[in-house]
Amino acid sequence: MDYKNILIENNDGVVTLIVNRPHALNALNMETISEIGVFFTEDYKTIQNLKGVIITGAGEKAFVAGADIKEFLGIESPEAGSALARNGHDVFNIIEKFHKPTIAAVQGFCLGGGFELALACHMRIAGEKAKFSFPEVNLGLLPGFNGSQRLPMLVGKAKAFELLMTTDMIKAEEAVKLGLANHVVPQGEEISKATEIIEKIATKAPLAIAEIIKTVNAYQDKNSDGTEQEIASFGQLMTTKDFEEGTSAFIEKRKAEFTGE
Ligand code: DAK
């Protein structure tokens, strides 16, 4: 698909999806969300040997400065607003459930819907100038892309209340302390750190990585039983060629060559 709002760069299977609306600090309009959805449901299949996806924003100033405020107006009924929210939920859930690692490389402002996009990723790398905030209540809103649920999972309920109700801006170091970001790196090195992590994961058994994603996500999912998911995933992995290869390689004192079978 030809995208208008995102760029896709493929670096030997490590894909960087760039939200490319720098004139609006990469704010997410509905078209951008839909293009992200097309990439994660369809277009990723065209990438050979996909190792993982890094999501970032164009330019140095912002990862994503929220949903596009200029698109909010004109929604005429609660049902229409809820339908838009559900659409965003669906796309962000696909990112969270993606079978390969997804990492947000956050430089500059990471606000509102942008913060929610970063929270939908499996991990977050913060540049030292990254700034995180949920400003929704300044606009008379609350997060509409599941941020009110993902945030307390990471920081606990009390801190989530504080961040959502005060709109306080958090810097990179504090984001790591709170468990929101995995690492802080010098500004400009967010993508290289994310690439390093994805390349490391790519040396592991791919089916096991996919089952880790399912199982850890089940921990957060009120409709799933994470313990049962782990037991089922464990059973499935024990019958894979990758399991045979991993154990044989250990016994033969050589590096495993996984095929994802
Ligand atoms: N939307 C649209 N345009 C934005 C934008 C945004 N969120 N953020 C920045 N821009 C635009 C500015 O309007 C400006 O455009 P021009 O005036 O040059 O045409 C350009 O980007 C540069 O921004 P500034 O001139 O403001 O730059 P500054 O350095 O002075 O300030 C800032 C940077 C990040 C502090 C400031 O731009 C700012 O406060 N931006 C808004 C942050 C914000 O409140 N974001 C929204 C959070 S609420 C929904 C689901 C979810 C949501 C909504 C609906 N539904 C299902 C319907 C989520 C809501 C949110 O994300």
Side-chain angles (χ1 to χ4, degrees), residues 31 36 47 57 68 80 94 111 138 144 162 169 181 193 202 240 248:
E31 193 177 46
I36 293 172
I47 295 182
D68 191 322
I94 289 166
L111 310 178
N138 292 331
E162 184 182 342
M169 189 90 83
K193 180 67 185 174
T240 60
S248 305

Side-chain angles (χ1 to χ4, degrees), residues 66-109:
D68 191 322
I69 294 173
K70 292 161 192 168
E71 256 195 8
F72 289 1
L73 301 170
I75 293 170
E76 284 170 3
S77 68
E79 292 73 21
S82 295
L84 288 175
R86 194 171 299 284
N87 178 53
H89 275 236
D90 289 347
V91 171
F92 286 20
N93 287 343
I94 289 166
I95 297 171
E96 185 171 58
K97 291 183 176 158
F98 199 59
H99 62 293
K100 297 284 180 185
T102 56
I103 304 184
V106 179
Q107 79 290 23
F109 290 111

